[in-house]
Amino acid sequence: MKIAFLGLGNMGFPMARNLANAGYDVTGYDVVESATQAIAEHNVTPADTARAAVEGANVVITMFPAGKHVLEAYQNELLAAAQPDTLFIDSSTIAVDDARRAAELAREAGHRALDAPVSGGTKGADQGTLTFMVGGDQADFEQAKPLFEVMGRKIVHTGESGTGQAAKIVNNMALAINTIGAAEAFSLGENLGLSHQTLYDVMSTSAAQSWAVSTNCPVPGPVPEAPSSNDYRPGFATALMAKDLNLAKSAIEATGTPADFGLAAFQAYTEFNTEDNAGKDFSAIIATKKKG
Ligand code: NAD
């Protein structure tokens, strides 16, 4: 198996490195030349062009910022440059419709396609502990599974093309709502005279328990390893949450789903995603719940 890995950013770089370190034959390419050169130190063969990376590969993995990058790269050169029946795996977080379109384009060009977005952040990418949500044919999923198992720990086949992206944005929408809920609870509790630790002890063991309370507690103190206890260093950055909620908003509108809280979360994170806050963990949104 020969793998082309395109998009060697915060996520793609360690994912490509982990594949190479597991013994796979990986060629890497990023439009940023320094990223392509740096991956050469990790057993990945650097390619001068996207075309050169893809030629001769039978699996092409992309890890780009957004849907437009995926669709443009597929249409402009990748699909035409690849040998017939190449398996295209896109792990970027993009809109469900873009993922379906990308898969359709790949199939029309005589290839196979999976959408395989991830959660787990840069730490998960680095340590090979990502969760993969994978949309596409069962046989293609089975072929790619050993690769996902190198880069991740939990691998879920979610159904047909686009369902991987659907799982990703639905999960993140619920996470955003949970986090705003936890933030409002801690602020209201504080205004009613409850200490953060007392409220944490109650909420983390009662019906309002959630990852947003127990693991990513939005107030500093109760969970020492949470971003809140470390100056809100991410974790999962506000800019990325705002991006994913924008995708959720499009999906809510396209499907006509009554999801007022999802739309409110989109609104709240869009407003919170200023230059100052974009790089902070998304639990920092509790700052907007303080009085005055
Ligand atoms: P990033 O911006 O660090 O990396 C993207 C890379 O793609 C960049 O290096 C860019 O130069 C490269 N690129 C863009 N177009 C290209 C092309 N046509 N050919 C080759 N390279 C190209 O972004 P990231 O943090 O690595 O995230 C990548 C994707 O993963 C995004 O969709 C993001 O939403 C998703 N994601 C990120 C995280 C995270 O914590 N960073 C977590 C889960 C999912």
Side-chain angles (χ1 to χ4, degrees):
M1 187 186 287
K2 195 168 177 323
I3 303 167
F5 204 116
L6 294 99
L8 304 170
N10 293 325
M11 297 292 287
F13 192 100
M15 291 165 74
R17 184 201 62 207
N18 287 344
L19 285 171
N21 287 343
Y24 285 102
D25 179 354
V26 186
T27 300
Y29 174 75
D30 195 291
V31 284
V32 176
E33 203 188 323
S34 56
T36 310
Q37 292 314 321
I39 199 81
E41 291 168 24
H42 299 276
N43 303 321
V44 174
T45 309
D48 289 338
T49 61
R51 175 172 289 275
V54 164
E55 278 169 358
N58 34 28
V59 174
V60 174
I61 305 178
T62 44
M63 194 52 166
F64 294 159
K68 66 175 183 198
H69 304 103
V70 178
L71 290 173
E72 276 173 24
Y74 272 31
Q75 282 169 305
N76 291 350
E77 49 188 348
L78 302 188
L79 297 177
Q83 62 188 11
D85 204 34
T86 294
L87 179 57
F88 277 79
I89 302 172
D90 179 43
S91 281
S92 329
T93 302
I94 69 175
V96 175
D97 286 348
D98 286 347
R100 291 196 174 127
R101 180 77 189 125
E104 200 176 272
L105 287 168
R107 289 189 189 111
E108 282 168 10
H111 303 303
R112 293 169 294 126
L114 295 171
D115 52 296
V118 300
S119 75
T122 49
K123 191 170 166 198
D126 189 52
Q127 298 180 349
T129 56
L130 293 167
T131 294
F132 279 84
M133 295 148 263
V134 189
D137 291 349
Q138 183 74 36
D140 297 333
F141 171 75
E142 295 299 341
Q143 193 201 343
K145 202 171 170 200
L147 306 182
F148 298 142
E149 283 168 344
V150 168
M151 298 181 282
R153 191 157 53 192
K154 176 83 180 158
I155 321 297
V156 184
H157 185 212
T158 48
E160 62 190 26
S161 291
T163 57
Q165 298 292 351
K168 165 86 184 167
I169 62 172
V170 164
N171 179 67
N172 278 9
M173 182 187 78
L175 172 60
I177 296 169
N178 283 347
T179 294
I180 293 171
E184 292 187 356
F186 274 96
S187 285
L188 180 58
E190 189 178 306
N191 296 338
L192 292 170
L194 288 163
S195 78
H196 292 161
Q197 186 64 49
T198 301
L199 191 53
Y200 175 83
D201 289 345
V202 173
M203 283 182 72
S204 64
T205 53
S206 60
Q209 191 276 338
S210 69
W211 184 88
V213 170
S214 303
T215 304
N216 214 52
C217 187
V219 288
V223 182
E225 60 279 10
S228 58
S229 300
N230 296 284
D231 293 327
Y232 292 97
R233 278 193 294 276
F236 185 50
T238 293
L240 291 172
M241 179 53 98
K243 175 198 159 185
D244 290 2
L245 287 168
N246 191 27
L247 298 176
K249 174 180 173 272
S250 301
I252 289 167
E253 288 168 353
T255 55
T257 307
D260 300 348
F261 286 73
L263 292 175
F266 159 76
Q267 188 68 33
Y269 273 101
T270 302
E271 284 167 18
F272 186 60
N273 186 27
T274 59
E275 207 179 314
D276 278 354
N277 295 329
K280 290 182 189 162
D281 186 74
F282 74 113
S283 60
I285 199 159
I286 193 167
T288 65
K289 306 295 176 187
K290 301 283 180 199
K291 275 202 290 189

